[in-house]
Amino acid sequence: MNFDHVFTVTFTLFAIIDMLGNIPILISISERFGQIQAWKATTFAGALMLVFLFVGEAFLHMLGVDLKSFAVAGSILIFIMGLEMTLGIDIFKSEDENQTGSLVPVAFPLIAGSGTLTTVISLKTNFDTLTIVIGILLNLLIIYIVLRSLRLLEKLLGRGGLLVIRKFMGVILLAVAVKIFKSNLGLG
């Protein structure tokens, strides 16, 4: 096993998932949908990543969906979440708020969204499966710790700090969504 490869895969996924940058979003979601069930969200996100590692590209192909279309759809969801954060409006509604808040939008698309899932599939071209699995598992540990620590992080940042970070991260999400959208449509 090559530890440099494990580090590269782990860091790549860490950057894409952006758990630290998602803290304001996660706190906002927990306020709207109730406490996020860290274990449930982490397990579901991990399962999605592992399933996509092994059968994602074939599954999308079977549905007649290419990776670029999948990424564009994910960028639209990310854009909507960015609008919510930046403008302070609620577009995403859940029918069963207490049950789905941990899964939608936390596990998918926030943690295991199109960017993460596309990255997992793309890593297969340069790294062996075991290395990618280890990178996913290390990121799941980080995800779980952040989700379990949301209240502590909220206290440390304060309401004003969270509001500033939330607006800033909303703009960042909008920019990321536009970038994913443009690059997958061949516009940039």
Side-chain angles (χ1 to χ4, degrees):
M1 175 175 318
N2 186 326
F3 290 105
D4 288 339
H5 288 178
V6 170
F7 178 78
T8 300
V9 168
T10 302
F11 187 76
T12 300
L13 288 172
F14 179 79
I16 293 293
I17 295 168
D18 191 23
M19 279 308 286
L20 300 180
N22 285 330
I23 290 171
I25 304 166
L26 293 165
I27 290 171
S28 175
I29 290 169
S30 71
E31 289 172 354
R32 287 177 51 202
F33 297 110
Q35 182 178 354
I36 295 171
Q37 298 171 15
W39 181 250
K40 190 175 191 178
T42 303
T43 303
F44 188 74
L48 279 173
M49 286 186 255
L50 291 171
V51 165
F52 252 75
L53 174 62
F54 293 106
V55 297
E57 199 168 358
F59 178 71
L60 289 176
H61 181 71
M62 186 177 70
L63 295 174
V65 176
D66 60 278
L67 284 177
K68 289 184 182 235
S69 298
F70 185 74
V72 168
S75 74
I76 293 168
L77 290 174
I78 293 169
F79 190 84
I80 291 170
M81 290 168 51
L83 281 177
E84 284 186 331
M85 293 172 60
T86 305
L87 302 176
I89 57 174
D90 291 336
I91 298 169
F92 181 82
K93 303 270 190 261
S94 176
E95 292 180 24
D96 187 359
E97 295 179 354
N98 290 328
Q99 294 299 316
T100 61
S102 294
L103 301 181
V104 178
V106 175
F108 180 83
L110 196 58
I111 296 170
S114 64
T116 303
L117 299 178
T118 302
T119 301
V120 166
I121 293 171
S122 300
L123 287 169
K124 289 172 62 174
T125 61
N126 295 320
F127 302 99
D128 64 273
T129 302
L130 179 60
T131 299
I132 299 169
V133 168
I134 292 169
I136 289 171
L137 294 175
L138 290 172
N139 273 279
L140 292 175
L141 178 63
I142 295 166
I143 290 164
Y144 181 76
I145 290 169
V146 169
L147 290 175
R148 291 287 301 179
S149 306
L150 283 179
R151 293 295 160 220
L152 173 65
L153 295 168
E154 182 178 23
K155 286 179 184 175
L156 291 173
L157 295 171
R159 294 306 264 169
L162 285 174
L163 182 61
V164 168
I165 293 172
R166 183 170 191 251
K167 299 288 184 189
F168 177 75
M169 290 309 299
V171 172
I172 296 298
L173 279 181
L174 290 170
V176 167
V178 169
K179 181 180 179 184
I180 293 170
F181 190 86
K182 282 176 39 181
S183 67
N184 284 285
L185 287 179
L187 303 173

